[in-house]
Amino acid sequence: MNFEQAWLDYKGKAVSTEVGEIKFICADVQDELIRNSVKELQAAVKAMTGKEPVLQADSFESKAEQQIESISLVIKEGVKAEGYRLLEKAGQIIVEASDSRGILYGTFALIRLIQAGETLRGLHITKEPAMPLRMLNHWDNMDGSIERGYSGESFFFENNEILVNDRTVTYARLASSVGINAVVINNVNVKDSATYLITDRYFDQLKAMSEIFAGYGIKLYLSLNYAAPVELNELDSADPLSEEVRAWWKKRMEIVFGAVPNLGGFLIKADSEGRPGPFTYGRTHADGANMLAEAAEPYGGLIIWRCFVYNCKQDWRDRKTDRARSGYDNFIGLDGTFRDNVILQIKNGPMDFQVREPVHPLFGGLKKTNQMLEVQIAQEYTGQQRHICYLIPMFRQVLKYRTYVQESNDTVEDIVSGRTFGQKNCGMAAVANTGNDENWTGHDMAAANLYGFGRLAFEPDLTAEAIAKEWIRVTYGVNKKAEEILLNMLMNSWPAYEKYTSPLGIGWMVNPSVHYGPNVDGYEYDRWGTYHRADHLGIGVDRSRVGTGYALLYNEPNASAYDDRERCPEELLLFFHHIPYTWKLKTGKTVIQHIYDTHFEGVETVDEMAAGFEKLKGILPDKVFERVMKRLSHQKEHAREWRDQVNSYFYRKSGIPDEKGREIW
Ligand code: GCW
């Protein structure tokens, strides 16, 4: 299948004026990363100017200081691992780093500047990645399907085989160009053939893939089936404390790490949504994770253990069990018992990637455990890449959230960057939004989430707006009109989506299992622990001290604020409290009026977005324009469906009419 180059399509991009003069690239090509950096620079400059700069082995003294004639790639102490410095000195551009990953990141950063038309004169920039692990988690199955995939099929797997081809290389380039250094290629729900990824059935192809990744500074990771010894028919138990099981994993790790160079480790979903785990044997998550970690340790392997553990067979009548509590309750007592090469991977919120959730209380709860933040750029609950929903503003809010785990350096970002507890095994992972669609992400605008995730994990101080602007420029070139319109669309998209879907942090209200489209009671009488508890008087889940007590899992002052309906942040009001429809919000509006108003407003914003986008006909490539226009018209229609179903539902429940007398069904 054909595929595009996304933001690495250098052709025809607006370029900084000096770039035309670049004749040489000077590098001592010590390894593949530097070779790939040189290749990338040559390709970029050639595509933008028509002339390919020549590689020179030795450093090059520019003769003509008035011109920028060369780019030098120099390994040199001074910046932190994987960081880089970009300088311009007497007509020479220098990319400096203390390792070749840094050179690669510096190279891509330089290309970005050129693409965005920035001047190269007087360049002096130093950047060091905030988070050690910047990871993508693909939920790709080996039959080629993708769990929660909205961009076609997998480009890693097909018919239970691993695909290694040109697309693998372009993928690695795209990922590393935004600083991604770790990739899990298979779904966390490990079944069927995927269980065999750790056997010689797949080693040749895995090795080939991991070598491509290595050339771009990316470590390959696999999702692991916790019950592999049993499911591979080798043992009849997966008890983490059994000597036999432990010995099996030690041997297995020796074999896998021996066969697949550049393997970083494993991601595990255990005792969650039907997946096997240590609970079967009456053992804890620490027992399970530590067993694997001990086996992987001789090879520098990491065990990334997910905290998405909850009872998915709840009785909806039960008001005491609270799914939101379960991650915390399952893991908090294990704090400090995990080995150093274990990282707990925690979703941004306690439920499941809803359009709005509070930050997961394990952040700020755990004090002696390595932690990673998991976000989802696959838009499972945020429009499935048929609606625009630029998620970087949400992720940034999560990162900047103060946990009060200590007096300072206490944000989620501090924790997952290693600043809070001095941990080195930490970072951020995103459930990926790619597939084999020509444009990689289905919706062209969804590429901003892929791009933005990497950029944010590397530099969380960049604003969501700055990242969006950068993405627009490197993808579509420098064009004022395009920038203004697209930036507006992206920045308005998450707020709009939140407005026309479920209100004030309550979440869900989607069609079960597909998770697309409105269905207010879709999950209300189900077993998944996801309820809104609406009746004729009010709506919301009481998670205060007199309810499920969830609010008190936070450190002060967060706990008291969430616990108190007067002080609870209003965007989360219905997440924490059951509130009467007539309750007055700070805007002076009642809850019911807020529901009506936001639903009308959300639709209006979508209409404006679509009207704005139409002006880009002839400015964006035709193909892109058509694809986005098609999705926007679906979004317009579908946002109305959301609006009308939600508004009608609450009008019928409450019997309270809209103050503005608009049409409600
Ligand atoms: O949100 C839920 C999804 C499942 C997913 C699970 C998880 C991979 O609906 O499809 O399974 O989360 O995160 O494990």
Side-chain angles (χ1 to χ4, degrees), residues 139 147-148 187-189 269 273 306 308 347 352 380-381 515:
W139 288 355
E147 184 153 349
R148 313 306 175 185
N187 188 358
V188 287
N189 291 324
K269 171 175 178 177
E273 300 184 330
R306 295 176 87 229
F308 184 60
K347 288 190 181 183
D352 195 8
E380 178 177 359
Y381 293 98
H515 299 166

Side-chain angles (χ1 to χ4, degrees), residues 469-504:
K469 239 188 222 169
E470 190 184 283
W471 172 76
I472 296 164
R473 289 188 175 188
V474 298
T475 308
Y476 299 117
V478 182
N479 178 301
K480 241 181 134 212
K481 194 163 169 193
E483 189 168 308
E484 196 187 303
I485 292 173
L486 294 177
L487 187 64
N488 237 316
M489 284 170 70
L490 290 171
M491 293 308 292
N492 287 333
S493 60
W494 174 46
Y497 195 83
E498 180 174 28
K499 282 182 176 178
Y500 61 77
T501 59
S502 67
L504 298 169

